Amino acid sequence: MFSGRNQAEDTCLTNHNDGPDPSFLPCRSVDEEATLGNTKNTSRGEDNALKQDLELATLQSPLEDPNGNGGFPEGGARAWSVVFGSTCALTALFGVINTTAVFQQYLSSHQLSNYGAGPIGWIFSFGLFMTFFGGVQVGPLFDAKGPRVLMLTGSILLFLSMILLGECTKYWHFFTVYGLVGGLGGALINTPAVACVGHYFLVKRGAAMGIAFTSGSIGGIVFPLMLQQLLPLVGFAWSTRILAFVLLVLLVLANLLVKSRLPPIPGGRVLPDFSVFKDLALTFCTLGIFFMEWGLFVPLAYISSYAVDHGRSTAFGFQIVAVLNAGSFFGRWLPGLISDKIGRYNTIIITIVLCIVTIFALWLPAQDSEVMLILFATCFGFASGSNLGLAPVVVGQLCKTENYGRYYATCYTIVSFGTLTGVPIAGQILSTSNGSYAGLIIFAGVSYVAALACFIVSRACRVGLAVRAKW
């Protein structure tokens, strides 16, 4: 009924052939049923109508090519130029996000010194929320129109956000400029920059995504150290303006290089498609990312103020953010390579376990110990580095590539509420604990424990309890 070559590579779901027999998978999505028909002979009792549907889906697959490799280049000048362009875009976006602790600490002691940690946290969490929740519209628009207009508009908004940040003096100024304008710009940049990489890589997708997401670490190293030098010399306004022009260079390169490979799909939905959550694997994957980001952004937002409140200098508070992001650089790149060898789910589960260990074994007992804090920043940076990079990859593993924008956007509609609430919840815990960070740290650790449980269940929905399965 089907042609002899393996067409299973048309989906992210079955990109490894050494996993368990698909017939034993306990939870299957509609996309998966179509994939199974391409990878094995149908059973004698299979419904004839389903056979016809599968044959039609095979004939109409837009990713198929005569070589049977699914049409993914897996390299070449154009593919790697897209990765470089994505790296530039994500350096600008996540470099600023990974400098949140510096902004949080500076504003709390200057322009917004009359506000507590919780209200200030809402500024940065709302920016994160807008970045990810914006995927509700951006994902389908990307599928339908491609990346060009989205990237250009987002670049303008992100640049203006940083330029205007230096002019802010009141709480609502910061909330509007950083949270609303910057967050919306981030939404328009993030989805195209991530999704376009997935158009060019399947087998090497983990490595390619890992390279692209190292960018956030690069920005997270350079930007805090740059602000440490600039703030005493030229003040807050000119420091943010200089940073804005650094972002401008990166965003120009991104707009020139990030290109889509697949033809546009007209008529895309502009609302989240919650029907995809009929697949339990995707449901638990989404919950796993939600709790993971609850845990992730707490250290990113509060490690600088933690250091200063425990007797370290403001300069050290800036430097510890750079140390965390330096560890994250290797944590974003190396797990991406490993994930293509041992499986994407397996890799993210291992790194989440490492995050749990570092939070409870290093950060919680650190107190005034500078050595312990540096050790925590380095180890947690490495362990958490793959959190943002592998999350889109494991989502893509559960869907067809041409549907990736819709799945990614729907998933991050839910996840965005984690980014919205995590930092303010941690800030409120800090405010009600009379300056003790123990409750905040425990909140981050327990969030990672919940994420670990969800990813294990999601994995089990595909490969059961086969511990050695490459998935």
Side-chain angles (χ1 to χ4, degrees), residues 379-393:
C379 295
F380 179 79
F382 177 81
S384 65
S386 64
N387 287 177
L388 292 178
L390 283 180
V393 179

Side-chain angles (χ1 to χ4, degrees), residues 79-156:
W80 288 113
S81 70
V82 171
V83 173
F84 180 71
S86 176
T87 300
C88 292
L90 298 179
T91 297
L93 174 58
F94 286 102
V96 173
I97 290 174
N98 288 338
T99 312
T100 295
V102 171
F103 287 118
Q104 173 100 7
Q105 193 277 328
Y106 185 87
L107 294 180
S108 65
S109 59
H110 291 81
Q111 293 96 323
L112 302 180
S113 58
N114 294 328
Y115 292 85
I120 296 175
W122 278 110
I123 296 172
F124 304 103
S125 65
F126 186 73
L128 289 170
F129 171 76
M130 288 298 297
T131 295
F132 294 118
F133 185 78
V136 177
Q137 301 291 337
V138 176
L141 286 174
F142 167 78
D143 290 340
K145 302 295 184 181
R148 185 63 55 228
V149 175
L150 298 174
M151 290 282 293
L152 178 60
T153 306
S155 298
I156 293 171

Side-chain angles (χ1 to χ4, degrees), residues 414-430:
I414 304 300
V415 170
S416 62
F417 286 94
T419 63
L420 175 65
T421 55
V423 173
I425 288 174
Q428 192 61 39
I429 292 172
L430 178 62

